[in-house]
Amino acid sequence: MIALYIKLLLAHLIGDFLLQPTKWVKNKEKYKLKSKFLYAHVAIHLLALLLVLQFNLDYIWGILLIVASHFGIDVIKLYLNTKVNSRWLFALDQIAHLLILLVVVSMYVPFTLSIDFLYDTRLLLALCCILFVTVVSSIIMKVLISKWQLKDTNKASLKDAGAYIGMLERLFVFAFITMNYWEGIGFLITAKSVFRFGDLSKAKDRKLTEYILIGTLLSFGLAISCGLIFKLIFPLI
């Protein structure tokens, strides 16, 4: 089952990402069903599937189902796509393709899906920690440093970029701790310091420096605490 799914996934990655230039995507968005690249894209998928399956015609109905569904999903996406919902449509588009691959695999290697693993205590603990170091920590930090409200010193900054950077930062710290790779945290702090040094040296603002330092220490402190608690509890489950 896994071997067949990996082959189909490889074909999908080749067709949808490796061999689909940006020029094709823009042309499809503009001309939709009239775009020649839409059909070229589907043809590449067909060829990729035949290649990874070594032209084994025992899978012909599965191949045809994947190609036809890929065409249908892409057409629906093209007609629903706007600047507002493009990210959501991209995610739903990929999920739909991956589910179709599962359907095809089940045609040749019957299997049953169980969601029991989702209720495994260790997995639930990991999910709690991930939620804590991303969403919950952001809220905690916002509350703790709300007494120091600085004016927007950089209006050119991307919207919510700081929040996303903080979440990723804490996820990396959490992952490094669970892997016992403490050196990674040092590299992360060094990298952040290098990038921040330019902003702080240009701003020459002591309040901004203190604000960033407090935020950084809080962020790392929350992530490290969560990682240590996870490592303490995990073996006991």
Side-chain angles (χ1 to χ4, degrees):
M1 182 194 90
I2 295 176
L4 178 57
Y5 190 84
I6 290 174
K7 289 179 180 179
L8 299 180
L9 179 61
L10 175 60
H12 173 72
L13 296 176
I14 291 172
D16 235 20
F17 297 96
L18 183 63
L19 298 181
Q20 183 174 208
T22 303
K23 174 186 175 181
W24 288 24
V25 176
K26 291 181 177 179
N27 187 277
K28 289 194 299 178
E29 289 175 348
K30 183 177 181 180
Y31 296 104
K32 298 179 173 57
L33 278 171
K34 295 180 179 179
S35 172
K36 61 182 180 181
F37 294 118
L38 173 62
Y39 303 97
H41 175 63
V42 173
I44 285 176
H45 264 282
L46 175 60
L47 181 59
L49 285 165
L50 289 171
L51 285 172
V52 298
L53 294 174
Q54 298 176 297
F55 291 89
N56 187 343
L57 296 183
D58 290 340
Y59 297 110
I60 187 62
W61 291 112
I63 292 172
L64 292 176
L65 174 59
I66 292 173
V67 172
S69 63
H70 198 101
F71 176 79
I73 292 169
D74 276 13
V75 169
I76 293 172
K77 178 187 172 185
L78 288 174
Y79 280 95
L80 294 179
N81 193 32
T82 65
K83 288 184 179 180
V84 176
N85 65 7
S86 59
R87 286 176 297 175
W88 283 104
L89 273 180
F90 174 79
L92 292 172
D93 167 75
Q94 293 302 315
I95 291 171
H97 291 317
L98 296 179
L99 288 176
I100 291 295
L101 298 187
L102 275 177
V103 171
V104 172
V105 170
S106 68
M107 290 168 53
Y108 298 97
V109 188
F111 65 92
T112 56
L113 288 175
S114 173
I115 62 171
D116 291 341
F117 73 95
L118 293 175
Y119 299 96
D120 181 80
T121 308
R122 292 186 172 186
L123 178 60
L124 293 176
L125 174 63
L127 289 175
C128 285
C129 290
I130 291 171
L131 279 174
F132 179 82
V133 297
T134 53
V135 180
V136 179
S137 290
S138 295
I139 296 171
I140 291 173
M141 289 179 61
K142 190 179 294 185
V143 172
L144 291 177
I145 63 177
S146 60
K147 62 180 293 185
W148 302 297
Q149 289 295 332
L150 298 182
K151 294 180 180 179
D152 188 6
T153 57
N154 185 10
K155 294 182 179 179
S157 176
L158 296 174
K159 183 182 178 182
D160 297 327
Y164 290 123
I165 291 170
M167 288 182 184
L168 291 171
E169 172 186 283
R170 290 188 293 276
L171 276 174
F172 278 121
V173 171
F174 176 74
F176 288 148
I177 292 175
T178 57
M179 295 186 294
N180 283 321
Y181 185 58
W182 288 87
E183 298 88 343
I185 300 176
F187 290 135
L188 192 61
I189 293 174
T190 302
K192 184 172 183 179
S193 300
V194 170
F195 284 111
R196 278 296 189 183
F197 178 77
D199 294 336
L200 295 175
S201 61
K202 290 177 183 177
K204 296 180 180 179
D205 188 335
R206 182 174 178 177
K207 289 183 179 179
L208 177 62
T209 303
E210 292 172 342
Y211 185 81
I212 291 174
L213 184 58
I214 291 171
T216 299
L217 291 175
L218 272 174
S219 181
F220 276 82
L222 289 168
I224 290 171
S225 300
C226 186
L228 291 175
I229 293 171
F230 176 82
K231 287 189 67 178
L232 180 66
I233 298 176
F234 192 81
L236 302 177
I237 298 174

